Amino acid sequence: MNGDIFGLHPLAVPPVHAVWPYALAAAVVVIVFAVVMFLRRRPAIPADVAALRALEATRELIARADAQSFSSQVSTAVRDYVEVAFGVRAPRRTTEELLADLMHDESPVAAHRDELGSFLAYCDLAKYARFALSQTQMTGMLDSAETFVRSTAGGAP
């Protein structure tokens, strides 16, 4: 046999001074990730506060007399509130389905079933039938939605 082919050599372990930059880079990445996650975490806003803020944002639509957009946004704000506050899947359901789930006797919404039903019916008329709401009617709907949220906020789990 020729001596030109050598056997396997043992694995070369990198010196300690060659590993620390990688360890430092990994530590920096972990710290940056932790800081970003901490800063992105927002304090939980109670469902009633979020709903009232969303309802307040619809006041400009009353001034513009945009009944369809107004009723859509007001309805969404109330439905989102109901979903978060009462644990009922609300945004993708029909008004009848939503009311059926909310109207059992021990529900905090049961005392407001008539107001909520008529409010959602008006929203549906404006959203789907393009019913022309006056500014007075839109203001009344907004007041009704705000009253509903405030009156049921204490009973929400």
Side-chain angles (χ1 to χ4, degrees):
M1 284 214 172
N2 277 344
D4 56 333
I5 297 182
F6 300 103
L8 294 175
H9 296 287
L11 287 176
V13 178
V16 174
H17 68 278
V19 174
W20 72 266
Y22 298 108
L24 180 64
V28 167
V29 167
V30 168
I31 290 170
V32 166
F33 179 75
V35 168
V36 166
M37 293 307 291
F38 177 76
L39 293 176
R40 291 183 78 192
R41 188 177 62 181
R42 295 186 176 123
I45 298 174
D48 60 320
V49 172
L52 291 171
R53 286 180 185 170
L55 290 170
E56 185 62 32
T58 63
R59 288 201 186 272
E60 73 178 52
L61 297 172
I62 294 174
R64 290 191 292 173
D66 187 355
Q68 187 176 9
S69 295
F70 168 79
S71 60
S72 179
Q73 288 183 22
V74 170
S75 174
T76 298
V78 170
R79 287 171 176 270
D80 288 347
Y81 165 71
V82 166
E83 180 170 7
V84 172
F86 304 108
V88 175
R89 186 92 176 117
R92 303 266 188 241
R93 305 186 78 187
T94 66
T95 297
E96 292 77 21
E97 291 171 337
L98 176 60
L99 290 174
D101 283 349
L102 287 174
M103 295 309 158
H104 51 86
D105 290 335
E106 63 273 0
S107 169
V109 181
H112 307 279
R113 80 179 68 191
D114 293 333
E115 298 104 36
L116 181 61
S118 64
F119 166 78
L120 291 174
Y122 267 112
C123 287
D124 289 348
L125 279 174
K127 284 190 322 188
Y128 303 117
R130 301 199 187 274
F131 184 73
L133 298 170
S134 69
Q135 289 182 339
T136 304
Q137 288 172 318
M138 288 189 279
T139 301
M141 286 176 63
L142 182 58
D143 291 343
S144 172
E146 289 173 341
T147 301
F148 171 74
V149 170
R150 284 189 181 102
S151 62
T152 57

